[in-house]
Amino acid sequence: MSRAWAGIDSGKTHHHCVVLDADGTKLLSRRMANDEPELLQLLADVLALADEVTWAVDMADGGAALLIALLVNHGQELLYIPGRAVNRASDGYRGEGKTDARDALVIADQARVRRDLKPIRPSDEITAELKLFTARRTDLACDRNRSINRLRATLTCMFPALERALDVTTKGPLVLLTGYQTPAAIRRSGLVRLTKWLRARNVRNAESLATAAVEAAERQHTAVPGEAAIASMVRALVEEVMALNEKIAEVDKLIEGRFRQHELAEVITSMPGIGSLLGAEFLAVVGSDMASFATPDRLAAFAGLAPAPHDSGKSHGNLHRPQQYHRGLQRVFYTSALISIRSDPNSRRFYDRKRAEGKRHIQAVLALARRRVNVFWALIRDRRCYQVVPPVTHVA
């Protein structure tokens, strides 16, 4: 039976495919548009070259999404090699030039000789949607952070005392800034009228917020140049932040609705510290199939929670934080561990023990996150929910 390996360097508009046989001889090199008819023609031509073909790509989504869907739908074996690994492997091949054809050749050859590449498996519909929703939420959250930073910087240029007094990440101060931006406007309104104005807009703790604003206004009686233009810009930025908050809330509802329909939703959220959002982010990264993580150690390494050895010569036990890991997955485990300290007695005891051993707060939380990976992996494997008191195992 003849075998071949097809490496594809993916792009937005075009891909380049190189096919190698078992000896590394080039059988085909072709550039094709990222279009279904051309991709289907490539598939037919490559399958005509060998009885068994293994495909490899350097992108797991984005511009390669259509290509991957076609290969998966036709039952093809598909491997993923990260672009960073392709760049490093290229140094071991002849020549210094970089072209799509050369990258495709490296991808095909790496798929031919390596046995540690991760297979790409089809995602279920819910997981695919959660991946889209969580990515959209991340984009909106980043936009909101940028707008909040601009708001703070702009407000500081005009009214630094108010910027220090307000937490513009919450609703109340944002509502206040939609109507009052300058010290003079706040002083003219006064405490009583400002409190009444905030209460009419359903702001919590309206009196304390109004008091803080009036006190800030009393500390500044000087109008900076361009105050009217700055005040207008502050209001525009506030409206931008509030609009982004509404969009994020809408996406959160979509995420929770779809996540609750997933078969693992109850198991995942039974783990203290993990709610719908963190659970959805976990599924978006890992998916429903844990076959890629045969042990909890592999899952911890992928999340950057397992130290990487850097031994050389007589130096042993030299452990460092890994450089290649999924930062989003690490955030899921770290954030959930931080929350679980307040809600789960087992997590609290483990954290306190690490602190008593001399660990700093972040070190203790990371150690807890690593321990929780083992529990989390076992819960998903066994399809059972977390219990504060572990079930008793009876040996027959």
Side-chain angles (χ1 to χ4, degrees):
M1 177 182 292
S2 60
R3 286 206 61 184
W5 288 262
I8 299 181
D9 180 65
S10 305
K12 292 181 181 179
T13 59
H14 290 79
H15 307 310
H16 198 104
C17 177
V18 170
V19 181
L20 304 178
D21 63 11
D23 297 324
T25 303
K26 187 185 298 184
L27 303 178
L28 179 145
S29 179
R30 180 187 300 176
R31 185 174 186 264
M32 80 294 299
N34 189 12
D35 195 44
E36 184 170 344
E38 291 200 29
L39 295 177
L40 288 174
Q41 184 60 51
L42 172 71
L43 176 63
D45 294 343
V46 172
L47 293 179
L49 297 175
D51 299 323
E52 184 178 349
V53 179
T54 298
W55 301 76
V57 294
D58 61 344
M59 294 174 60
D61 49 22
L66 175 60
L67 170 66
I68 292 173
L70 288 174
L71 294 175
V72 169
N73 291 342
H74 285 79
Q76 297 299 297
E77 181 185 6
L78 183 58
L79 304 177
Y80 170 63
I81 175 170
R84 185 174 183 178
V86 176
N87 291 336
R88 289 186 173 182
S90 297
D91 295 337
Y93 290 79
R94 183 183 303 172
E96 297 182 359
K98 184 186 185 305
T99 64
D100 293 344
R102 175 183 168 84
D103 289 343
L105 173 65
V106 173
I107 294 171
D109 199 43
Q110 289 293 298
R112 183 177 67 90
V113 300
R114 292 179 59 171
R115 298 295 179 266
D116 61 339
L117 297 181
K118 181 180 178 180
I120 296 179
R121 294 182 172 86
S123 299
D124 59 83
E125 192 70 18
I126 296 179
T127 301
E129 291 184 12
L130 289 177
K131 189 173 183 178
L132 291 173
F133 292 153
T134 53
R136 173 61 174 163
R137 190 190 190 282
T138 299
D139 290 340
L140 291 173
C142 291
D143 291 341
R144 179 177 60 182
N145 289 340
R146 283 190 289 268
S147 297
I148 288 174
N149 290 336
R150 294 191 191 104
L151 172 60
R152 284 172 170 161
T154 306
L155 188 58
T156 301
C157 295
M158 176 186 64
F159 197 171
L162 187 62
E163 192 278 331
R164 291 193 302 269
L166 300 183
D167 179 9
V168 293
T169 62
T170 57
K171 177 184 176 181
L174 291 174
V175 173
L176 171 66
L177 289 173
T178 60
Y180 300 90
Q181 301 88 30
T182 64
I186 294 176
R187 284 196 301 272
R188 284 195 301 268
S189 176
L191 178 60
V192 175
R193 191 160 62 177
L194 184 57
T195 301
K196 186 181 297 185
W197 186 86
L198 290 172
R199 284 176 177 166
R201 286 155 180 78
N202 299 319
V203 174
R204 298 177 59 184
N205 301 319
E207 185 174 357
S208 60
L209 178 59
T211 301
V214 171
E215 290 177 353
E218 292 296 339
R219 290 195 293 271
Q220 180 176 332
H221 290 264
T222 302
V224 301
E227 184 180 73
I230 297 175
S232 176
M233 188 176 297
V234 166
R235 178 166 184 170
L237 288 170
V238 167
E239 292 174 351
E240 186 176 305
V241 172
M242 295 178 72
L244 287 170
N245 284 338
E246 293 178 0
K247 291 180 180 179
I248 291 175
E250 292 174 1
V251 175
D252 285 345
K253 291 180 180 179
L254 292 175
I255 290 175
E256 182 172 7
R258 292 303 283 153
F259 174 75
R260 292 297 178 185
Q261 298 175 10
H262 197 277
E263 60 177 348
L264 292 176
E266 185 177 358
V267 174
I268 291 174
T269 53
S270 70
M271 191 73 173
I274 298 184
S276 298
L277 181 57
L278 290 179
E281 291 179 359
F282 172 82
L283 289 175
V285 175
V286 176
S288 305
D289 186 5
M290 294 287 288
S292 299
F293 305 99
T295 65
D297 294 338
R298 291 189 180 181
L299 181 59
F302 186 60
L305 297 173
H310 282 252
D311 297 340
S312 179
K314 296 182 179 180
S315 176
H316 297 283
N318 189 17
L319 301 177
H320 286 261
R321 183 177 181 177
Q323 295 183 351
Q324 301 182 42
Y325 60 92
H326 198 288
R327 284 161 175 76
L329 188 59
Q330 185 187 74
R331 193 189 74 83
V332 169
F333 284 118
Y334 182 88
T335 304
S336 66
L338 197 60
I339 297 172
S340 71
I341 294 173
R342 301 191 298 268
S343 59
D344 179 43
N346 294 328
S347 298
R348 186 72 207 188
R349 282 194 296 269
F350 184 89
Y351 172 81
D352 291 340
R353 186 167 76 248
K354 290 300 177 181
R355 293 286 283 167
E357 293 173 359
K359 302 290 186 182
R360 296 192 301 273
H361 169 70
I362 293 179
Q363 293 175 319
V365 176
L366 285 173
L368 173 60
R370 173 63 185 90
R371 178 61 64 87
R372 283 164 53 88
V373 169
N374 293 348
V375 179
F376 196 63
W377 182 90
L379 293 179
I380 294 179
R381 178 198 60 189
D382 299 339
R383 295 295 199 271
R384 63 182 177 86
C385 294
Y386 176 84
Q387 299 178 19
V388 177
V389 179
V392 178
T393 302
H394 298 281
V395 180

